[in-house]
Amino acid sequence: MNAEKHNIEEETAPKHDCNGVKMYNSFRYNICGELITVLKLIDLELTELPKQLPELQNLYEINFSGNKLCCLPSKLLNAKGLRIINLANNKFRTMPECLRSGLRALKHINLSNNCLSHFNEPPACLPLLKELILAHNQISVVPYWVFSDYVFMLDILDLSFNPCFREAREFKQLPKNRIKGYIKSLKLINTDFTVVSLGLLLYFPLLTSLDLGNIKNIIKATNTIFDFGKDYIPRTLEELYLKGVCLASLPDISSLRQLKVLDVSENYLQILPANGILASSLQFLNLSRTMLITLPDYIGKLPHLTHLMLAENDISSLPSSFHLLNNLEVLDLYNNSFQAMPEIGSFTRLKAFDIWMNYFEPPSKPAGENGTTYEDLIKNLREKFNFLDRHNFIKEIVELCATETNSSFQSTSPDISIASLMAENSKYQSNIISKPEEENWESESSDDLFDPSEEYFYRQVVSLDNCNRDFRKNCLKFCPEKIKNSPHLFQPYTERSNSECWEQRRLLVQVENMSLIEDGQFEDA
């Protein structure tokens, strides 16, 4: 018997044969002894594990991710030395029984992308557990056992993409005298976290990494934190991520002596406070898409800063102290309002740089003749941060092209501008609601008499069919779908659906100050 350790991976079995003999025969063929330490059955669409599993007493790691499992066999309880189990991308609705009652030596559990609705009971391995990943499930409440005295070793907890903070009032019942807060890395991305839930962070005084951000295109369970008080920020933080949480002002982090990473991108900051509130220990600072128009002078007083991301703002100049950032390696100024190349010749360590989409053409060697070419600098930045969809244009050219070549703005004449379209639209509307000329009712026949119940009346009043359709669609291009589909949003008559809400609104949308028409109102007395 071969005494070597083996990494068992199922690669030869066909994916369509979930429980067939072929898969088991191949699996059995790879077993050369009892010292099997790693078992991987990945992306096989298994609904259950083979019944002929051997006794795997020496198993160290299990990876059953990418299947359709909803339960595990009790035979796995024999793997007394199991340390890592990966059950991601399966169909588990509750915690497997073998985790609840056995496998006490486990240190890493991954149950992400399953159908878990709760995780109220702790696993049997809780005293030794170091990492628990429960992201992308349907957990509606944070497990209370996370705060118990039995959580000695848990370093990483990931509850991202679960609506577990919708009922923030439940955290008022937490037993404060039992909370130790040993967790060091806490990920709560897209969990409905709000300002009301900030008090929960006080129970984790040893946090080194905190992620409360949002993923851009995911509207489910969105975090909303308008103001982040400094009293709620753990002093031991080294990484803080607050991406896209509707921040109105930058939190005061000057007291965080160990903070190295700060990401507050995609917020509504507009301007940074005049007094220095940034930690001097910062190495990575992301202020992209924060509507900034200027930078304070204390930005240059961050001696350890190596990455500065300022893309898609309205910044037109850099502060006078900016040249003091001698350790700067990455600088992102993409899509701002610079009219000339800023002075970056003193940044001898610069490895990645992007300044396209401003009001000038970047030079071939922005850091001087002896520096790296701009082509290499921009390539390094976009590949490192996956910004491969960016454009290499100057802003004036982009704006000109957007007016002349974009199909959303084109009309019958290429010389018609947006302003002329708006003027034409306004003129057309004014003609619709203008007071009609006096008519001689006695000279008209019965066929020519005005009937307000006719369909064409509403069409003439509220329709904008004669306006440029492309221009109107472009105005709504960035409008959220839930607003576009709302009955309160005006749409031309020909583009409305036949739903009941639109039928009711059709009768209510009249010319201003015109009342509803009652039955018999125009009949002779």
Side-chain angles (χ1 to χ4, degrees):
M1 180 180 295
N2 191 351
E4 296 181 357
K5 296 183 179 181
H6 297 278
N7 185 340
I8 305 302
E9 297 189 24
E10 181 53 54
E11 298 179 351
T12 60
K15 291 189 176 182
H16 63 274
D17 193 356
C18 299
N19 302 309
V21 178
K22 293 182 180 179
M23 188 207 71
Y24 173 65
N25 286 342
S26 178
F27 170 77
R28 185 178 181 182
Y29 177 78
N30 286 313
I31 297 177
C32 300
E34 296 180 356
L35 299 182
I36 299 172
T37 59
V38 179
L39 175 60
K40 295 184 179 181
L41 300 174
I42 305 173
D43 296 331
L44 295 175
E45 299 184 2
L46 298 174
T47 57
E48 62 179 10
L49 295 178
K51 297 180 180 179
Q52 297 84 358
L53 278 176
E55 302 294 336
L56 304 175
Q57 295 89 347
N58 297 289
L59 202 60
Y60 180 87
E61 177 183 353
I62 283 179
N63 191 340
F64 294 156
S65 61
N67 291 289
K68 298 181 179 180
L69 300 175
C70 58
C71 61
L72 295 177
S74 58
K75 188 174 292 188
L76 285 179
L77 292 173
N78 297 328
K80 303 295 185 180
L82 191 63
R83 297 293 189 273
I84 303 172
I85 186 168
N86 187 347
L87 302 174
N89 295 290
N90 278 282
K91 301 294 183 181
F92 291 97
R93 295 185 177 275
T94 59
M95 180 171 55
E97 182 61 30
C98 61
L99 296 182
R100 183 183 290 107
S101 58
L103 302 179
R104 300 179 182 275
L106 273 175
K107 294 186 177 182
H108 304 272
I109 299 178
N110 188 346
L111 278 166
S112 60
N113 284 284
N114 278 277
C115 304
L116 299 174
S117 59
H118 61 85
F119 209 81
N120 297 332
E121 298 183 23
C125 61
L126 183 59
L128 299 178
L129 189 62
K130 288 188 175 182
E131 181 181 17
L132 178 61
I133 302 178
L134 300 173
H136 292 281
N137 280 284
Q138 303 170 14
I139 301 174
S140 57
V141 178
V142 176
Y144 280 175
W145 55 262
V146 172
F147 310 98
S148 69
D149 286 340
Y150 300 101
V151 184
F152 299 114
M153 305 292 291
L154 189 59
D155 290 336
I156 301 174
L157 176 61
D158 190 352
L159 291 170
S160 301
F161 309 102
N162 288 286
C164 51
F165 284 93
R166 287 183 180 173
E167 301 295 335
R169 62 179 182 272
E170 296 185 5
F171 294 105
K172 298 179 181 180
Q173 304 174 2
L174 290 175
K176 295 184 179 180
N177 59 335
R178 299 181 59 195
I179 295 173
K180 297 296 183 182
Y182 292 99
I183 297 176
K184 296 181 180 179
S185 177
L186 183 60
K187 293 185 179 181
L188 301 173
I189 305 170
N190 285 87
T191 54
D192 271 325
F193 195 94
T194 62
V195 178
V196 180
S197 307
L198 282 174
L200 184 69
L201 302 179
L202 298 176
Y203 301 130
F204 301 105
L206 300 180
L207 274 180
T208 58
S209 178
L210 176 61
D211 194 341
L212 297 175
N214 289 315
I215 299 299
K216 185 175 182 180
N217 297 324
I218 298 180
I219 61 175
K220 177 183 177 182
T222 304
N223 296 345
T224 307
I225 309 173
F226 297 104
D227 185 20
F228 202 129
K230 65 177 182 178
D231 296 334
Y232 298 107
I233 305 178
R235 299 296 180 88
T236 57
L237 272 183
E238 297 179 5
E239 300 177 2
L240 178 58
Y241 302 92
L242 298 172
K243 179 180 179 180
V245 295
C246 301
L247 269 179
S249 61
L250 191 67
D252 189 351
I253 57 174
S254 56
S255 60
L256 304 182
R257 304 301 181 186
Q258 304 178 34
L259 190 65
K260 299 178 181 179
V261 178
L262 176 61
D263 186 351
V264 290
S265 59
E266 300 182 20
N267 285 288
Y268 309 115
L269 302 181
Q270 294 188 346
I271 190 171
L272 300 181
N275 56 335
I277 61 173
L278 294 178
S280 58
S281 58
L282 273 177
Q283 298 179 9
F284 183 99
L285 178 59
N286 192 347
L287 294 169
S288 299
R289 303 189 195 96
T290 52
M291 306 173 69
L292 288 177
I293 58 177
T294 184
L295 293 175
D297 196 58
Y298 59 78
I299 287 290
K301 300 178 182 179
L302 302 175
H304 304 288
L305 193 65
T306 59
H307 292 66
L308 181 56
M309 318 299 289
L310 298 169
E312 300 187 42
N313 286 294
D314 196 20
I315 302 172
S316 58
S317 61
L318 299 176
S320 57
S321 62
F322 199 79
H323 68 280
L324 299 176
L325 301 176
N326 297 324
N327 294 318
L328 200 62
E329 297 178 2
V330 177
L331 178 59
D332 190 5
L333 299 176
Y334 177 82
N335 195 2
N336 275 275
S337 298
F338 289 92
Q339 297 184 7
M341 182 67 193
E343 180 59 40
I344 61 171
S346 59
F347 303 143
T348 57
R349 299 187 179 182
L350 195 64
K351 300 178 181 178
F353 176 63
D354 191 355
I355 200 170
W356 275 115
M357 293 291 288
N358 281 273
Y359 294 98
F360 69 96
E361 183 175 357
S364 59
K365 291 187 177 182
E369 292 299 328
N370 297 327
T372 309
T373 62
Y374 182 59
E375 183 178 354
D376 293 336
L377 291 173
I378 194 173
K379 181 180 179 181
N380 294 338
L381 187 141
R382 296 186 181 184
E383 289 182 353
K384 181 177 181 178
F385 297 99
N386 196 23
F387 294 152
L388 303 180
D389 57 342
R390 288 185 173 182
H391 302 288
N392 297 345
F393 295 124
I394 304 174
K395 265 195 172 180
E396 291 89 347
I397 298 178
V398 172
E399 292 176 356
L400 183 63
C401 293
T403 305
E404 295 183 353
T405 63
N406 195 329
S407 60
S408 300
F409 292 89
Q410 284 182 349
S411 60
T412 55
S413 175
D415 296 329
I416 296 180
S417 62
I418 299 176
S420 63
L421 289 174
M422 296 179 65
E424 181 183 352
N425 182 13
S426 176
K427 180 180 179 181
Y428 176 73
Q429 292 185 8
S430 63
N431 292 336
I432 293 178
I433 63 175
S434 59
K435 184 177 179 180
E437 299 179 358
E438 296 184 1
E439 300 180 10
N440 186 359
W441 292 75
E442 296 180 357
S443 63
E444 295 181 356
S445 62
S446 59
D447 295 336
D448 296 331
L449 292 179
F450 170 73
D451 186 355
S453 64
E454 289 291 338
E455 190 75 19
Y456 69 86
F457 169 71
Y458 301 101
R459 182 160 60 250
Q460 291 177 353
V461 171
V462 299
S463 174
L464 296 178
D465 293 337
N466 292 342
C467 298
N468 185 275
R469 289 181 179 272
D470 292 334
F471 175 72
R472 182 176 64 251
K473 290 180 179 179
N474 185 76
C475 293
L476 298 177
K477 181 168 59 174
F478 300 103
C479 183
E481 291 297 330
K482 63 180 181 180
I483 297 179
K484 288 183 181 179
N485 300 328
S486 171
H488 303 290
L489 179 70
F490 176 80
Q491 289 189 7
Y493 176 84
T494 55
E495 297 182 9
R496 298 180 189 174
S497 61
N498 295 324
S499 61
E500 182 180 354
C501 61
W502 278 114
E503 183 64 22
Q504 294 176 358
R505 192 168 186 270
R506 183 185 67 83
L507 300 175
L508 296 177
V509 179
Q510 306 284 340
V511 181
E512 187 177 3
N513 298 328
M514 181 178 289
S515 60
L516 293 176
I517 302 168
E518 301 178 358
D519 294 340
Q521 179 176 346
F522 292 93
E523 295 181 1
D524 295 336

PDB file of all heavy atoms in Angstrom, residues 91-96 111-119 133-134 136-140 162:
ATOM      1  N   LYS A  91     -27.272  23.779  -2.896  1.00  0.00           N
ATOM      2  CA  LYS A  91     -28.693  24.010  -2.629  1.00  0.00           C
ATOM      3  C   LYS A  91     -29.047  23.812  -1.158  1.00  0.00           C
ATOM      4  O   LYS A  91     -30.188  23.469  -0.834  1.00  0.00           O
ATOM      5  CB  LYS A  91     -29.538  23.059  -3.488  1.00  0.00           C
ATOM      6  CG  LYS A  91     -29.325  23.193  -4.987  1.00  0.00           C
ATOM      7  CD  LYS A  91     -29.802  24.541  -5.509  1.00  0.00           C
ATOM      8  CE  LYS A  91     -29.643  24.633  -7.021  1.00  0.00           C
ATOM      9  NZ  LYS A  91     -30.073  25.943  -7.554  1.00  0.00           N
ATOM     10  N   PHE A  92     -28.123  24.038  -0.269  1.00  0.00           N
ATOM     11  CA  PHE A  92     -28.390  23.853   1.151  1.00  0.00           C
ATOM     12  C   PHE A  92     -29.363  24.920   1.659  1.00  0.00           C
ATOM     13  O   PHE A  92     -29.142  26.112   1.454  1.00  0.00           O
ATOM     14  CB  PHE A  92     -27.084  23.918   1.951  1.00  0.00           C
ATOM     15  CG  PHE A  92     -26.159  22.763   1.722  1.00  0.00           C
ATOM     16  CD1 PHE A  92     -25.103  22.857   0.823  1.00  0.00           C
ATOM     17  CD2 PHE A  92     -26.354  21.572   2.385  1.00  0.00           C
ATOM     18  CE1 PHE A  92     -24.258  21.794   0.604  1.00  0.00           C
ATOM     19  CE2 PHE A  92     -25.505  20.489   2.175  1.00  0.00           C
ATOM     20  CZ  PHE A  92     -24.461  20.602   1.277  1.00  0.00           C
ATOM     21  N   ARG A  93     -30.420  24.469   2.348  1.00  0.00           N
ATOM     22  CA  ARG A  93     -31.393  25.387   2.941  1.00  0.00           C
ATOM     23  C   ARG A  93     -31.159  25.567   4.431  1.00  0.00           C
ATOM     24  O   ARG A  93     -31.605  26.546   5.013  1.00  0.00           O
ATOM     25  CB  ARG A  93     -32.818  24.881   2.685  1.00  0.00           C
ATOM     26  CG  ARG A  93     -33.191  24.877   1.204  1.00  0.00           C
ATOM     27  CD  ARG A  93     -34.638  24.487   0.997  1.00  0.00           C
ATOM     28  NE  ARG A  93     -34.998  24.549  -0.409  1.00  0.00           N
ATOM     29  CZ  ARG A  93     -35.400  25.646  -1.047  1.00  0.00           C
ATOM     30  NH1 ARG A  93     -35.505  26.783  -0.362  1.00  0.00           N
ATOM     31  NH2 ARG A  93     -35.700  25.626  -2.322  1.00  0.00           N
ATOM     32  N   THR A  94     -30.515  24.606   5.052  1.00  0.00           N
ATOM     33  CA  THR A  94     -30.136  24.680   6.455  1.00  0.00           C
ATOM     34  C   THR A  94     -28.700  24.188   6.601  1.00  0.00           C
ATOM     35  O   THR A  94     -28.134  23.592   5.688  1.00  0.00           O
ATOM     36  CB  THR A  94     -31.062  23.818   7.333  1.00  0.00           C
ATOM     37  OG1 THR A  94     -30.998  22.460   6.887  1.00  0.00           O
ATOM     38  CG2 THR A  94     -32.507  24.324   7.257  1.00  0.00           C
ATOM     39  N   MET A  95     -28.129  24.436   7.747  1.00  0.00           N
ATOM     40  CA  MET A  95     -26.768  23.970   7.996  1.00  0.00           C
ATOM     41  C   MET A  95     -26.750  22.445   8.008  1.00  0.00           C
ATOM     42  O   MET A  95     -27.583  21.809   8.662  1.00  0.00           O
ATOM     43  CB  MET A  95     -26.262  24.522   9.327  1.00  0.00           C
ATOM     44  CG  MET A  95     -24.857  24.075   9.666  1.00  0.00           C
ATOM     45  SD  MET A  95     -24.170  24.921  11.108  1.00  0.00           S
ATOM     46  CE  MET A  95     -25.428  24.586  12.341  1.00  0.00           C
ATOM     47  N   PRO A  96     -25.824  21.823   7.278  1.00  0.00           N
ATOM     48  CA  PRO A  96     -25.744  20.357   7.276  1.00  0.00           C
ATOM     49  C   PRO A  96     -25.603  19.798   8.689  1.00  0.00           C
ATOM     50  O   PRO A  96     -24.936  20.386   9.545  1.00  0.00           O
ATOM     51  CB  PRO A  96     -24.497  20.079   6.426  1.00  0.00           C
ATOM     52  CG  PRO A  96     -24.344  21.290   5.558  1.00  0.00           C
ATOM     53  CD  PRO A  96     -24.832  22.434   6.384  1.00  0.00           C
ATOM     54  N   LEU A 111     -20.078  28.444   2.984  1.00  0.00           N
ATOM     55  CA  LEU A 111     -21.441  28.090   2.594  1.00  0.00           C
ATOM     56  C   LEU A 111     -22.065  29.197   1.747  1.00  0.00           C
ATOM     57  O   LEU A 111     -23.284  29.393   1.771  1.00  0.00           O
ATOM     58  CB  LEU A 111     -22.297  27.840   3.837  1.00  0.00           C
ATOM     59  CG  LEU A 111     -22.169  26.446   4.470  1.00  0.00           C
ATOM     60  CD1 LEU A 111     -22.783  26.430   5.857  1.00  0.00           C
ATOM     61  CD2 LEU A 111     -22.801  25.384   3.596  1.00  0.00           C
ATOM     62  N   SER A 112     -21.251  29.903   1.005  1.00  0.00           N
ATOM     63  CA  SER A 112     -21.774  31.007   0.182  1.00  0.00           C
ATOM     64  C   SER A 112     -22.551  30.476  -1.010  1.00  0.00           C
ATOM     65  O   SER A 112     -22.372  29.337  -1.442  1.00  0.00           O
ATOM     66  CB  SER A 112     -20.615  31.885  -0.303  1.00  0.00           C
ATOM     67  OG  SER A 112     -19.696  31.132  -1.082  1.00  0.00           O
ATOM     68  N   ASN A 113     -23.445  31.344  -1.533  1.00  0.00           N
ATOM     69  CA  ASN A 113     -24.256  31.022  -2.712  1.00  0.00           C
ATOM     70  C   ASN A 113     -25.065  29.738  -2.514  1.00  0.00           C
ATOM     71  O   ASN A 113     -25.048  28.823  -3.326  1.00  0.00           O
ATOM     72  CB  ASN A 113     -23.376  30.899  -3.961  1.00  0.00           C
ATOM     73  CG  ASN A 113     -22.935  32.248  -4.494  1.00  0.00           C
ATOM     74  OD1 ASN A 113     -23.704  32.971  -5.112  1.00  0.00           O
ATOM     75  ND2 ASN A 113     -21.696  32.583  -4.213  1.00  0.00           N
ATOM     76  N   ASN A 114     -25.792  29.691  -1.393  1.00  0.00           N
ATOM     77  CA  ASN A 114     -26.727  28.613  -1.144  1.00  0.00           C
ATOM     78  C   ASN A 114     -28.114  29.225  -0.915  1.00  0.00           C
ATOM     79  O   ASN A 114     -28.362  30.360  -1.328  1.00  0.00           O
ATOM     80  CB  ASN A 114     -26.278  27.773   0.054  1.00  0.00           C
ATOM     81  CG  ASN A 114     -25.229  26.743  -0.332  1.00  0.00           C
ATOM     82  OD1 ASN A 114     -25.541  25.661  -0.810  1.00  0.00           O
ATOM     83  ND2 ASN A 114     -23.954  27.085  -0.135  1.00  0.00           N
ATOM     84  N   CYS A 115     -28.986  28.496  -0.277  1.00  0.00           N
ATOM     85  CA  CYS A 115     -30.363  28.967  -0.037  1.00  0.00           C
ATOM     86  C   CYS A 115     -30.651  29.062   1.453  1.00  0.00           C
ATOM     87  O   CYS A 115     -31.792  28.843   1.886  1.00  0.00           O
ATOM     88  CB  CYS A 115     -31.360  28.028  -0.711  1.00  0.00           C
ATOM     89  SG  CYS A 115     -31.101  27.798  -2.476  1.00  0.00           S
ATOM     90  N   LEU A 116     -29.657  29.395   2.249  1.00  0.00           N
ATOM     91  CA  LEU A 116     -29.835  29.475   3.694  1.00  0.00           C
ATOM     92  C   LEU A 116     -30.709  30.667   4.060  1.00  0.00           C
ATOM     93  O   LEU A 116     -30.434  31.796   3.654  1.00  0.00           O
ATOM     94  CB  LEU A 116     -28.480  29.608   4.387  1.00  0.00           C
ATOM     95  CG  LEU A 116     -27.479  28.460   4.180  1.00  0.00           C
ATOM     96  CD1 LEU A 116     -26.138  28.818   4.806  1.00  0.00           C
ATOM     97  CD2 LEU A 116     -28.016  27.174   4.778  1.00  0.00           C
ATOM     98  N   SER A 117     -31.762  30.415   4.832  1.00  0.00           N
ATOM     99  CA  SER A 117     -32.634  31.495   5.303  1.00  0.00           C
ATOM    100  C   SER A 117     -32.280  31.917   6.726  1.00  0.00           C
ATOM    101  O   SER A 117     -32.708  32.987   7.172  1.00  0.00           O
ATOM    102  CB  SER A 117     -34.094  31.050   5.244  1.00  0.00           C
ATOM    103  OG  SER A 117     -34.299  29.889   6.037  1.00  0.00           O
ATOM    104  N   HIS A 118     -31.546  31.107   7.434  1.00  0.00           N
ATOM    105  CA  HIS A 118     -31.104  31.448   8.792  1.00  0.00           C
ATOM    106  C   HIS A 118     -29.873  30.614   9.127  1.00  0.00           C
ATOM    107  O   HIS A 118     -29.590  29.604   8.483  1.00  0.00           O
ATOM    108  CB  HIS A 118     -32.217  31.204   9.813  1.00  0.00           C
ATOM    109  CG  HIS A 118     -32.662  29.769   9.872  1.00  0.00           C
ATOM    110  ND1 HIS A 118     -32.030  28.826  10.634  1.00  0.00           N
ATOM    111  CD2 HIS A 118     -33.687  29.118   9.243  1.00  0.00           C
ATOM    112  CE1 HIS A 118     -32.626  27.659  10.497  1.00  0.00           C
ATOM    113  NE2 HIS A 118     -33.633  27.802   9.647  1.00  0.00           N
ATOM    114  N   PHE A 119     -29.171  31.046  10.157  1.00  0.00           N
ATOM    115  CA  PHE A 119     -28.001  30.315  10.654  1.00  0.00           C
ATOM    116  C   PHE A 119     -27.968  30.504  12.168  1.00  0.00           C
ATOM    117  O   PHE A 119     -26.963  30.922  12.753  1.00  0.00           O
ATOM    118  CB  PHE A 119     -26.735  30.850   9.996  1.00  0.00           C
ATOM    119  CG  PHE A 119     -25.632  29.829   9.868  1.00  0.00           C
ATOM    120  CD1 PHE A 119     -25.638  28.911   8.844  1.00  0.00           C
ATOM    121  CD2 PHE A 119     -24.594  29.774  10.781  1.00  0.00           C
ATOM    122  CE1 PHE A 119     -24.632  27.963   8.719  1.00  0.00           C
ATOM    123  CE2 PHE A 119     -23.575  28.841  10.670  1.00  0.00           C
ATOM    124  CZ  PHE A 119     -23.600  27.927   9.631  1.00  0.00           C
ATOM    125  N   ILE A 133     -17.832  31.913   5.923  1.00  0.00           N
ATOM    126  CA  ILE A 133     -18.308  32.676   4.770  1.00  0.00           C
ATOM    127  C   ILE A 133     -19.748  32.251   4.482  1.00  0.00           C
ATOM    128  O   ILE A 133     -20.007  31.104   4.100  1.00  0.00           O
ATOM    129  CB  ILE A 133     -17.416  32.442   3.538  1.00  0.00           C
ATOM    130  CG1 ILE A 133     -15.976  32.835   3.859  1.00  0.00           C
ATOM    131  CG2 ILE A 133     -17.933  33.239   2.348  1.00  0.00           C
ATOM    132  CD1 ILE A 133     -15.008  32.585   2.719  1.00  0.00           C
ATOM    133  N   LEU A 134     -20.686  33.191   4.657  1.00  0.00           N
ATOM    134  CA  LEU A 134     -22.104  32.937   4.431  1.00  0.00           C
ATOM    135  C   LEU A 134     -22.683  33.901   3.404  1.00  0.00           C
ATOM    136  O   LEU A 134     -23.887  34.171   3.404  1.00  0.00           O
ATOM    137  CB  LEU A 134     -22.880  33.064   5.752  1.00  0.00           C
ATOM    138  CG  LEU A 134     -22.470  32.109   6.874  1.00  0.00           C
ATOM    139  CD1 LEU A 134     -23.196  32.457   8.168  1.00  0.00           C
ATOM    140  CD2 LEU A 134     -22.759  30.669   6.479  1.00  0.00           C
ATOM    141  N   HIS A 136     -24.112  35.726  -0.035  1.00  0.00           N
ATOM    142  CA  HIS A 136     -25.047  35.350  -1.099  1.00  0.00           C
ATOM    143  C   HIS A 136     -26.006  34.247  -0.650  1.00  0.00           C
ATOM    144  O   HIS A 136     -26.123  33.195  -1.267  1.00  0.00           O
ATOM    145  CB  HIS A 136     -24.284  34.906  -2.354  1.00  0.00           C
ATOM    146  CG  HIS A 136     -23.544  36.004  -3.040  1.00  0.00           C
ATOM    147  ND1 HIS A 136     -24.159  36.924  -3.860  1.00  0.00           N
ATOM    148  CD2 HIS A 136     -22.230  36.328  -3.011  1.00  0.00           C
ATOM    149  CE1 HIS A 136     -23.254  37.769  -4.319  1.00  0.00           C
ATOM    150  NE2 HIS A 136     -22.080  37.442  -3.810  1.00  0.00           N
ATOM    151  N   ASN A 137     -26.701  34.501   0.454  1.00  0.00           N
ATOM    152  CA  ASN A 137     -27.772  33.630   0.900  1.00  0.00           C
ATOM    153  C   ASN A 137     -29.011  34.488   1.150  1.00  0.00           C
ATOM    154  O   ASN A 137     -29.126  35.591   0.597  1.00  0.00           O
ATOM    155  CB  ASN A 137     -27.354  32.857   2.160  1.00  0.00           C
ATOM    156  CG  ASN A 137     -26.469  31.660   1.837  1.00  0.00           C
ATOM    157  OD1 ASN A 137     -26.939  30.638   1.363  1.00  0.00           O
ATOM    158  ND2 ASN A 137     -25.172  31.796   2.087  1.00  0.00           N
ATOM    159  N   GLN A 138     -29.918  34.007   1.974  1.00  0.00           N
ATOM    160  CA  GLN A 138     -31.143  34.745   2.288  1.00  0.00           C
ATOM    161  C   GLN A 138     -31.296  34.924   3.789  1.00  0.00           C
ATOM    162  O   GLN A 138     -32.408  34.967   4.309  1.00  0.00           O
ATOM    163  CB  GLN A 138     -32.347  34.001   1.708  1.00  0.00           C
ATOM    164  CG  GLN A 138     -32.257  33.780   0.207  1.00  0.00           C
ATOM    165  CD  GLN A 138     -33.317  32.836  -0.312  1.00  0.00           C
ATOM    166  OE1 GLN A 138     -34.285  32.521   0.372  1.00  0.00           O
ATOM    167  NE2 GLN A 138     -33.143  32.363  -1.539  1.00  0.00           N
ATOM    168  N   ILE A 139     -30.183  35.038   4.489  1.00  0.00           N
ATOM    169  CA  ILE A 139     -30.196  35.175   5.951  1.00  0.00           C
ATOM    170  C   ILE A 139     -30.737  36.551   6.321  1.00  0.00           C
ATOM    171  O   ILE A 139     -30.217  37.573   5.878  1.00  0.00           O
ATOM    172  CB  ILE A 139     -28.779  34.968   6.505  1.00  0.00           C
ATOM    173  CG1 ILE A 139     -28.265  33.580   6.118  1.00  0.00           C
ATOM    174  CG2 ILE A 139     -28.755  35.148   8.011  1.00  0.00           C
ATOM    175  CD1 ILE A 139     -26.821  33.328   6.491  1.00  0.00           C
ATOM    176  N   SER A 140     -31.784  36.574   7.142  1.00  0.00           N
ATOM    177  CA  SER A 140     -32.461  37.828   7.466  1.00  0.00           C
ATOM    178  C   SER A 140     -32.067  38.401   8.817  1.00  0.00           C
ATOM    179  O   SER A 140     -32.409  39.548   9.120  1.00  0.00           O
ATOM    180  CB  SER A 140     -33.989  37.615   7.444  1.00  0.00           C
ATOM    181  OG  SER A 140     -34.356  36.585   8.343  1.00  0.00           O
ATOM    182  N   ASN A 162     -26.769  39.527   2.107  1.00  0.00           N
ATOM    183  CA  ASN A 162     -27.879  38.974   2.881  1.00  0.00           C
ATOM    184  C   ASN A 162     -28.640  40.145   3.499  1.00  0.00           C
ATOM    185  O   ASN A 162     -28.010  41.075   4.016  1.00  0.00           O
ATOM    186  CB  ASN A 162     -27.377  38.052   3.997  1.00  0.00           C
ATOM    187  CG  ASN A 162     -26.832  36.742   3.473  1.00  0.00           C
ATOM    188  OD1 ASN A 162     -27.574  35.867   3.054  1.00  0.00           O
ATOM    189  ND2 ASN A 162     -25.507  36.613   3.471  1.00  0.00           N
TER     190      ASN A 162
END
